[in-house]
Amino acid sequence: QLIKEVEETTISFNYAIESKASREGIVIAFSEWDENGELLSSSYSADAFKKYLEKDGIKITSAVINGSEYEDVIKGAQERFPDKKYLIWSRVGRNTINKTVGGDYVTSSQGYTILSDIESGEMIYYDYTSQSVAWGPDLDEVSRELFTSYGKLIASQITRYL
């Protein structure tokens, strides 16, 4: 009898969870590189990342922050965005492109992403193992899918820290 009463008893209440990121915003500095180490002009990973987080009401500011070392990038973010809570710095490159017997292009990505508190400069999250794979008959479409998949993957992993 007691088990039945407990199973039939419900309690409901209204609540809302709001992250600091949704109040203070995030700066993202993403870059995409080809298999030869050349910077690409595309922003597929950043666009996918931004779209993923903005659906949860998180304000994203895209930026180009010069520097190849973490210390330079976080210093640039501190100078330019003191009103923002987090910086997400990501560099992703396309690996060697192969062609299948059927004529499709196949490639993978490799990169790293760092989530930092802008004010303190503390690294909150660091990922260098995530990869994405894409294939298809059109090289431009394969690249778009490759970087888009990477952006979505990173966004899904970082949301737990925001």
Side-chain angles (χ1 to χ4, degrees):
Q1 180 65 30
L2 179 60
I3 292 174
K4 184 179 177 186
E5 286 184 35
V6 170
E7 288 175 346
E8 293 175 354
T9 303
T10 62
I11 299 172
S12 63
F13 53 92
N14 292 328
Y15 69 96
I17 298 174
E18 183 182 61
S19 74
K20 288 183 180 181
S22 66
R23 287 192 310 272
E24 300 175 30
I26 295 175
V27 176
I28 63 171
F30 281 50
S31 57
E32 297 171 353
W33 304 79
D34 73 10
E35 60 279 4
N36 298 314
E38 297 294 322
L39 180 62
L40 299 171
S41 62
S42 58
S43 62
Y44 300 123
S45 59
D47 294 344
F49 184 92
K50 190 173 180 177
K51 184 176 179 181
Y52 189 98
L53 267 68
E54 284 181 337
K55 70 179 174 38
D56 291 329
I58 297 174
K59 296 175 189 131
I60 306 288
T61 300
S62 295
V64 174
I65 302 176
N66 295 323
S68 59
E69 298 296 323
Y70 175 75
E71 292 76 18
D72 297 330
V73 173
I74 193 67
K75 183 178 178 191
Q78 289 168 332
E79 291 170 359
R80 291 176 52 201
F81 304 101
D83 59 325
K84 303 293 184 201
K85 179 66 180 160
Y86 298 115
L87 167 68
I88 299 172
W89 181 41
S90 185
R91 296 169 61 102
V92 58
R94 182 177 63 209
N95 293 323
T96 302
I97 300 168
N98 296 299
K99 222 168 175 186
T100 67
V101 175
D104 283 351
Y105 295 97
V106 179
T107 189
S108 62
S109 70
Q110 193 164 3
Y112 63 86
T113 302
I114 300 171
L115 166 65
S116 300
D117 181 285
I118 290 178
E119 184 178 354
S120 70
E122 176 189 359
M123 275 189 208
I124 299 166
Y125 173 81
Y126 178 64
D127 175 274
Y128 60 91
T129 59
S130 294
Q131 298 181 359
S132 61
V133 176
W135 64 91
D138 180 82
L139 184 56
D140 290 335
E141 184 63 24
V142 168
S143 292
R144 184 192 63 75
E145 181 58 35
L146 180 74
F147 291 124
T148 297
S149 295
Y150 187 85
K152 288 178 185 177
L153 175 63
I154 292 301
S156 70
Q157 293 174 340
I158 280 184
T159 54
R160 65 184 140 170
Y161 298 98
L162 302 177

